[in-house]
Amino acid sequence: MPWADEADPANHFAIRTVQDAHRRGYGTALSLKFPFADRALPAAGSPELAAELARLDKVLPLLVGTVDILAIGNEPFIESRPAERDERLNVFYEAVADHVIAYRREHCGERCPTRLYMGALNRLDLPDRLTPAAERWMTFVRETPELEGVDIHPHVPSVQAVQPFLDYVLPRLRPDQKFLVTEFSLVWLWKAHLGDTIPVDFAQRYGYAPDTKVWEVIRAATENPFSQRKWNDFLAASPWYEANKDFLREQVQRFRDTGRLAFASYGFRQDALMVRDFQVTSSPWLLNSVFAPYTVQPDADGLTGQGYSWLDDFRALQRGHGHGHGDRPAAAVAR
C-alpha cells in the first residue's frame, strides 16, 4: 500500500499482473499489504488512518470488480510491531475492512464478482499466537456478513503443524464461510537443516569435502546454477527433503478435504531476494519453488530449471479439481 504514494498504483507490478491475468481468463487473488513493522499502527480517527484510507481509494478502483478474491491485509501479526499486536491491530484492520466493504457496496453492487477475505494468520501452531487479538480477528470475520472468510499462511516446521491452523479457524467461521491458503510451505523445516552436513553419497559423487554443509551447497547453486540432475540429486539425497517431497499434493488435499477451501496458491518461481547472499541464517524460500531459475540451469530447450519434486503435483492439482470460486484456473503466485 505505501507504494500508492510514490507512483500511480496502476503501474505497480502486482496490479498489472492480476489485471493481465484477468484479461486472459484466469482467476485472480491479491492481498493488500500494510507494513507497520517499524511504525505505529494508525489509531481510530487519526490523520494517519485517514491517509491509509485515502491510499485505498487510489487502489480499490483498479481491483474491485476485477480481481476475484481480495484479501484485506497480508500478514498483520508479522507486519506490525510486537507491542501493538493487540486491540490496536484489530481497530486498524477493522477500519480498513469497513472502508473496503463500503467501497464495494457503493461502486460494485450486490453482484460484485470481487469476494472479500481477511488475511492472513501465521504460526497458529504456536500457542503464544492464539492471542485475544487473534480471537477478535476471527470474531470480526465471523460477524461481518460481507466477509467470506479468512486467509491462512501455514509456513511451518513440520507436516503436523499444518492441522492446528485448520483446527483454529474452521470452528470460528460461519458455516457458509471458507478459507484461503495464499501461502504455505515447510520453509522452517528446511531452515532447521541448513547447518547439516551434506549426505556422503552426494559429496563423493560431486566432489565436495565431507564436512560441507547444506547451506554451502545451496549458496554454490545460487552463485553458479546446477544442472537439473545435480539439483535433484542434492535434494533427493537429503532425507529431510526427500521425506517431504509430497507435501504440496498432500496439503492441498488436506485443505480440500475440509470442504471449506476457497483458494490455495503455492510459491511458483524463485526470485532474486531469495538467493541474495545466502547464509546458514537465511530463510530458504528458494527450496519451495515450483520453478528454480536462480539455482538450476535451463534445459537444452530453454525450459526454466525446476524445483525438485513439485512440478508434477502442481500440474496434477490444477487438473484434478475445481477452483473454489468458479471454473477458471487460478493464476499462480510467487513467494
Side-chain angles (χ1 to χ4, degrees):
M1 290 302 301
W3 204 87
D5 283 346
E6 300 173 14
D8 183 352
N11 293 326
H12 191 276
F13 77 94
I15 291 177
R16 291 201 314 268
T17 298
V18 297
Q19 289 179 332
D20 179 62
H22 174 77
R23 284 191 293 269
R24 292 187 289 126
Y26 288 95
T28 54
L30 187 70
S31 299
L32 300 174
K33 180 172 180 171
F34 299 87
F36 284 97
D38 58 359
R39 57 195 175 109
L41 287 160
S46 67
E48 291 78 13
L49 178 58
E52 292 294 334
L53 301 183
R55 291 189 191 100
L56 271 175
D57 289 336
K58 297 178 185 179
V59 171
L60 292 177
L62 303 170
L63 302 175
V64 174
T66 300
V67 69
D68 294 284
I69 293 173
L70 189 62
I72 301 167
N74 179 52
E75 294 179 334
F77 288 87
I78 292 177
E79 295 160 353
S80 56
R81 300 191 298 189
E84 293 187 313
R85 294 169 189 168
D86 52 23
E87 69 277 1
R88 288 169 287 186
L89 182 147
N90 298 110
V91 166
F92 171 69
Y93 279 96
E94 289 168 14
V96 169
D98 289 341
H99 191 84
V100 174
I101 289 166
Y103 181 93
R104 187 184 66 163
R105 182 186 304 117
E106 180 178 352
H107 295 277
C108 201
E110 292 183 1
R111 297 184 178 274
C112 187
T114 299
R115 285 84 181 283
L116 303 179
Y117 288 76
M118 294 296 287
L121 298 177
N122 300 81
R123 295 311 308 266
L124 295 177
D125 54 307
L126 299 177
D128 65 358
R129 303 298 177 93
L130 309 182
T131 63
E135 190 68 38
R136 175 167 166 172
W137 187 273
M138 292 303 305
T139 298
F140 178 76
V141 171
R142 182 175 63 253
E143 295 180 355
T144 304
E146 297 85 354
L147 295 175
E148 300 206 16
V150 68
D151 191 7
I152 56 174
H153 286 181
H155 295 296
V156 291
S158 69
V159 170
Q160 294 74 24
V162 175
Q163 188 61 40
F165 284 75
L166 302 177
D167 293 343
Y168 186 80
V169 302
L170 288 177
R172 290 168 172 81
L173 292 172
R174 300 190 309 266
D176 64 308
Q177 288 180 311
K178 296 185 178 182
F179 66 97
L180 313 176
V181 192
T182 53
E183 298 179 20
F184 65 104
S185 78
L186 287 171
V187 66
W188 307 128
L189 174 62
W190 313 149
K191 186 167 186 173
H193 289 280
L194 292 182
D196 290 4
T197 301
I198 62 173
V200 173
D201 289 349
F202 178 81
Q204 292 175 342
R205 182 182 307 176
Y206 289 98
Y208 287 95
D211 59 349
T212 302
K213 305 302 182 185
V214 167
W215 75 269
E216 293 175 308
V217 173
I218 295 173
R219 183 182 177 100
T222 68
E223 295 172 342
N224 186 18
F226 291 177
S227 67
Q228 187 71 64
R229 180 175 180 177
K230 182 176 179 180
W231 185 247
N232 289 353
D233 286 348
F234 166 56
L235 294 173
S238 303
W240 47 271
Y241 203 91
E242 176 68 13
N244 292 289
K245 66 181 180 180
D246 297 324
F247 175 77
L248 172 58
R249 174 174 50 82
E250 292 173 351
Q251 295 313 305
V252 172
Q253 192 59 53
R254 180 199 297 260
F255 302 144
R256 287 174 170 168
D257 285 347
T258 67
R260 307 284 294 278
L261 176 67
F263 172 79
S265 54
Y266 188 73
F268 192 64
R269 184 181 186 275
Q270 293 171 347
D271 62 38
L273 288 177
M274 295 177 185
V275 303
R276 182 177 299 168
D277 191 25
F278 197 88
Q279 303 287 339
V280 68
T281 55
S282 297
S283 297
W285 301 106
L286 58 85
L287 294 181
N288 297 330
S289 303
V290 175
F291 284 96
Y294 286 87
T295 57
V296 181
Q297 302 164 10
D299 70 14
D301 295 328
L303 180 68
T304 298
Q306 301 168 24
Y308 171 63
S309 81
W310 306 126
L311 183 57
D312 288 346
D313 283 347
F314 186 85
R315 285 173 167 159
L317 288 166
Q318 295 282 341
R319 291 192 300 264
H321 292 78
H323 300 281
H325 282 317
D327 296 327
R328 290 178 295 162
V333 301
R335 168 69 185 210

